[in-house]
Amino acid sequence: MAIISHSTPTRIGAIPLFNLDAIKNQQILNKINENILIANEDYKIVFINDSAMKLLAQIGPYVGINDPEEFIGRDVGEFHGSRPQKILAKGEFPHSASITFFNKFSAEIMVDILTNNEGKECGFILTWKDVTEFEETLEENRKQLQILDMPVIPLSVDSAVLVPIMGKLTEDRLELLGEKILSHSAHQGNQFVIFDFTGVSDELDASIAFHLQQVINALKLMGVQSIYVGISPEMAKSIVLNGLHVNVPTFNTFVHGIRYVWKETGFELVKIEE
């Protein structure tokens, strides 16, 4: 298989061109600090450069392969399913994609066609950038953000908690909110949950309102009353225009909301005379 065409030394002015005939193609590929694999027309791996060998030595044991040389002759589909073959058979080249292979490792790949000296297609070259560690870092950061997102804050009334909601409301955030507040209410015996929307200026569409109502309904089944405070004019307008229903007590500010909780639980704020 010809990867780099042969050439004979010539001269441009006084500078001779480099003679590639004196260098083996395999040596060139091994000097490149990229993970490179070459497959033939039947999608069988026929070459793995030194950089890719080191990577496969690390991940091979996860699929029962201790010697990376054993990947030679195996189908590229074994790495990440039938999708690569479809790309190779029908895709436009060069083709780049983000994939997960062996159901564990993440990679950015680039695939291109190889041709021989006659210009006939004879195989494929894959460059493979391992981004598993990067993806794991992102996932860990995402989990940490989830822990910090929408905190559940205890109040002076033991049976009530405050959930400040800030930023853009999404279905994923509301799903996380539901899991967090339902678990907290089950363990702490909450009777009231005050949702403070002061930090949300976006409009409330039907999909987000539906998911929020699911959280409210689940809390209601557990005997927990939900309260909305701090709804902005923009959010209030969108609720009305979309014909959405808010079946919970609503108050302009948190102060008004907590006073409602005090009244419902028999507490009142009394000034102590000195």
Side-chain angles (χ1 to χ4, degrees), residues 6-17:
H6 293 283
S7 61
T8 56
T10 59
R11 298 177 68 87
I12 298 179
I15 304 174
L17 287 180

Side-chain angles (χ1 to χ4, degrees), residues 87-145:
I87 293 173
L88 299 181
K90 301 179 181 179
E92 296 181 1
F93 297 97
H95 179 88
S96 60
S98 300
I99 62 170
T100 300
F101 52 97
F102 302 143
N103 297 317
K104 182 176 180 64
F105 302 93
S106 300
E108 299 288 339
I109 65 168
M110 178 73 73
V111 186
D112 208 346
I113 293 177
L114 292 174
T115 58
N116 58 22
N117 290 335
E118 288 74 38
K120 181 181 177 181
E121 296 179 2
C122 59
F124 307 90
I125 183 168
L126 296 84
T127 55
W128 173 7
K129 182 178 180 181
D130 181 24
V131 294
T132 304
E133 184 175 346
F134 174 71
E135 294 288 345
E136 289 176 348
T137 301
L138 287 181
E139 178 64 17
E140 181 62 27
N141 289 341
R142 186 185 68 84
K143 290 179 179 179
Q144 292 299 321
L145 287 175

Side-chain angles (χ1 to χ4, degrees), residues 19 39 49 64 67 117 120 153 192 219 221-222 235 263 273:
N19 184 6
N49 76 340
D67 184 358
N117 290 335
K120 181 181 177 181
I153 303 174
F192 299 90
L219 287 170
L221 289 173
M222 296 174 61
M235 182 180 291
K263 182 179 179 181
E273 299 291 343

Side-chain angles (χ1 to χ4, degrees), residues 33-267:
N33 191 28
E34 291 283 348
N35 303 309
I36 299 174
L37 296 87
I38 295 177
N40 62 19
E41 293 177 289
D42 296 323
Y43 317 125
K44 304 297 183 182
I45 298 171
V46 296
F47 173 80
I48 303 171
N49 76 340
D50 288 348
S51 180
M53 281 287 186
K54 293 177 182 178
L55 177 62
L56 292 175
Q58 295 176 5
I59 67 177
Y62 287 93
V63 289
I65 298 177
N66 294 317
D67 184 358
E69 291 282 355
E70 294 181 22
F71 282 100
I72 300 291
R74 302 185 73 142
D75 197 295
V76 294
E78 293 184 35
F79 283 81
H80 29 72
S82 61
R83 183 176 172 226
Q85 289 190 5
K86 294 178 181 178
I87 293 173
L88 299 181
K90 301 179 181 179
E92 296 181 1
F93 297 97
H95 179 88
S96 60
S98 300
I99 62 170
T100 300
F101 52 97
F102 302 143
N103 297 317
K104 182 176 180 64
F105 302 93
S106 300
E108 299 288 339
I109 65 168
M110 178 73 73
V111 186
D112 208 346
I113 293 177
L114 292 174
T115 58
N116 58 22
N117 290 335
E118 288 74 38
K120 181 181 177 181
E121 296 179 2
C122 59
F124 307 90
I125 183 168
L126 296 84
T127 55
W128 173 7
K129 182 178 180 181
D130 181 24
V131 294
T132 304
E133 184 175 346
F134 174 71
E135 294 288 345
E136 289 176 348
T137 301
L138 287 181
E139 178 64 17
E140 181 62 27
N141 289 341
R142 186 185 68 84
K143 290 179 179 179
Q144 292 299 321
L145 287 175
Q146 285 183 339
I147 294 173
L148 298 174
D149 194 24
M150 299 184 186
V152 179
I153 303 174
L155 299 174
S156 56
V157 178
D158 293 338
S159 59
V161 293
L162 170 66
V163 179
I165 301 176
M166 296 170 286
K168 185 176 180 61
L169 288 175
T170 64
E171 293 182 10
D172 288 341
R173 292 188 72 203
L174 289 176
E175 181 178 354
L176 173 64
L177 169 65
E179 294 175 358
K180 181 182 293 187
I181 191 60
L182 289 172
S183 176
H184 189 279
S185 297
H187 287 88
Q188 302 299 324
N190 299 334
Q191 290 181 289
F192 299 90
V193 176
I194 302 177
F195 294 93
D196 190 347
F197 294 93
T198 305
V200 179
S201 59
D202 296 332
E203 296 181 353
L204 191 68
D205 61 33
S207 175
I208 296 302
F210 172 76
H211 283 81
L212 186 57
Q213 189 60 48
Q214 284 186 313
V215 176
I216 304 307
N217 291 342
L219 287 170
K220 185 177 181 180
L221 289 173
M222 296 174 61
V224 182
Q225 183 176 7
S226 300
I227 300 167
Y228 288 176
V229 302
I231 294 179
S232 67
E234 293 80 10
M235 182 180 291
K237 186 185 299 183
S238 67
I239 291 173
V240 174
L241 292 177
N242 289 320
L244 306 176
H245 299 284
V246 178
N247 301 318
V248 300
T250 60
F251 298 92
N252 188 34
T253 67
F254 167 73
V255 172
H256 293 93
I258 193 62
R259 286 177 178 172
Y260 170 81
V261 172
W262 288 343
K263 182 179 179 181
E264 291 294 305
T265 55
F267 287 85

Side-chain angles (χ1 to χ4, degrees), residues 6-7 9 18-25 27-28:
H6 293 283
S7 61
F18 194 73
N19 184 6
L20 292 179
D21 286 344
I23 302 177
K24 293 182 178 180
N25 295 334
Q27 179 184 352
I28 295 175

